[in-house]
Amino acid sequence: MTSCCIDEPRPAYRRRPSPLLSLLRRIAALPALWCARIEARGRMQRMDDETLLDLGLRRDQVETMRRKPFWRE
């Protein structure tokens, strides 16, 4: 037989956020993501070839990334 004490905390019940709320959060996060992409591509553009090679990138790959619109990954 299990005993129940009134003072025992009940497990927290967490509802899943609504799909609309999840969508709005993702949309709100987009400007920060786009800004981070612009900054990262600019930093890579300013790196020398030796540093790029250390990262496993070639100059032509960086140029291709730089030409992409900021909303493209």
Side-chain angles (χ1 to χ4, degrees):
M1 175 182 223
T2 62
S3 64
C4 180
C5 180
I6 296 174
D7 296 334
E8 289 180 6
R10 298 175 80 180
Y13 175 71
R14 296 190 62 142
R15 288 183 14 175
R16 286 181 48 188
S18 71
L20 178 60
L21 182 59
S22 296
L23 177 64
L24 290 175
R25 285 182 178 158
R26 290 178 62 197
I27 290 171
L30 281 176
L33 174 64
W34 292 340
C35 187
R37 283 183 188 160
I38 291 168
E39 290 175 7
R41 291 173 183 174
R43 281 193 307 270
M44 284 190 291
Q45 185 68 29
R46 292 185 298 273
M47 290 180 184
D48 61 9
D49 290 338
E50 186 176 322
T51 304
L52 290 174
L53 286 174
D54 287 344
L55 295 173
L57 296 170
R58 297 184 317 267
R59 178 65 55 192
D60 62 322
Q61 291 173 311
V62 172
E63 282 297 320
T64 301
M65 279 190 264
R66 187 189 63 81
R67 280 189 247 120
K68 283 184 185 180
F70 61 86
W71 59 86
R72 288 254 172 118
E73 191 171 345

